[in-house]
Amino acid sequence: LQTVLPPLIRLQQSQTLVYIPCYFDFCTIRNQLTAQRKTAKKSFGTEGVSFACISEYSRPNETTRSRGKFSQGHVNLMLYTGRAHFFYRHRLSGVKHLIFVGLPEHPEFYADGMNMLNVRSSNRSGGGGSGRGDESDNSMYDDEEDSTPASCLALFTKYDAHSLERIVGTQHCSRMLTSDKQTFLFCS
């Protein structure tokens, strides 16, 4: 967590969803971001990182406000708990980057998160495409102005073996946990 959060703040990726399965980790990250924001405002006179939060304890009006700010691009970072997704299954729009701070307990939550990524398709404009085949149906680029590819980062340890197995399968899980590599790339 300490190695991931500072580069995330430094990169300032727009519209990043951080899925946090544990509420205690959520509180830790939220408090760190709040402290960083206060320090930046006091020391440099800047706002710091703009973020919003949705947890299982968020009131409906807070959730609506946070979702609106995130989808309109007013905040760069959205913290989202696994229990909030379990109970409410929010469909968050405008997600360009997804970070799983720990794997979700239920494998369908991983698929839900991946489906939230804002990936442009040829029929996005509503016209159904040109029919000439010059546009890709599943381009990994978000929109015409921003050519940043959509991305997903899932952090896991050997203690997440059961969750990892439910997502990637038994064979891939054992290979990933016993491999010397620290980075794995999934292509679909």
Side-chain angles (χ1 to χ4, degrees):
L1 190 62
Q2 296 296 334
T3 59
V4 173
L5 196 56
L8 178 67
I9 293 169
R10 199 171 35 254
L11 281 176
Q12 293 184 348
Q13 290 181 327
S14 64
Q15 293 179 305
T16 302
L17 176 66
V18 181
Y19 178 94
I20 308 165
C22 176
Y23 184 74
F24 298 114
D25 290 338
F26 168 79
C27 290
T28 302
I29 293 171
R30 183 193 61 202
N31 293 343
Q32 285 179 351
L33 288 173
T34 304
Q36 187 271 342
R37 178 188 277 174
K38 287 179 183 177
T39 304
K41 194 167 194 162
K42 188 180 289 184
S43 301
F44 306 111
T46 62
E47 280 296 313
V49 145
S50 60
F51 69 97
C53 304
I54 295 178
S55 75
E56 60 272 23
Y57 300 114
S58 299
R59 293 189 304 267
N61 61 343
E62 291 173 341
T63 301
T64 303
R65 190 177 313 119
S66 294
R67 288 174 68 185
K69 286 181 180 179
F70 183 72
S71 67
Q72 294 169 4
H74 296 297
V75 295
N76 291 333
L77 197 63
M78 170 71 81
L79 304 181
Y80 186 55
T81 64
R83 286 175 53 99
H85 189 70
F86 180 83
F87 289 119
Y88 304 112
R89 305 288 167 103
H90 296 293
R91 175 80 176 124
L92 302 172
S93 60
V95 178
K96 293 182 181 177
H97 306 284
L98 176 62
I99 298 174
F100 287 97
V101 180
L103 296 173
E105 285 293 318
H106 302 282
E108 60 269 12
F109 292 179
Y110 184 82
D112 290 346
M114 295 301 292
N115 287 333
M116 285 184 207
L117 285 174
N118 187 15
V119 180
R120 183 185 73 205
S121 67
S122 62
N123 60 4
R124 184 174 179 177
S125 63
S130 64
R132 294 180 302 207
D134 56 354
E135 293 178 319
S136 172
D137 279 348
N138 54 1
S139 171
M140 287 303 290
Y141 294 101
D142 301 322
D143 46 43
E144 286 76 10
E145 304 89 37
D146 184 15
S147 63
T148 306
S151 65
C152 177
L153 172 68
L155 305 173
F156 64 91
T157 65
K158 63 182 179 182
Y159 302 111
D160 295 323
H162 291 295
S163 297
L164 181 64
E165 182 179 15
R166 287 189 286 266
I167 293 170
V168 299
T170 306
Q171 261 187 335
H172 291 296
C173 176
S174 61
R175 192 174 329 143
M176 290 169 74
L177 291 174
T178 58
S179 175
D180 291 335
K181 295 192 299 182
Q182 293 183 346
T183 304
F184 302 94
L185 177 66
F186 296 133
C187 298
S188 60

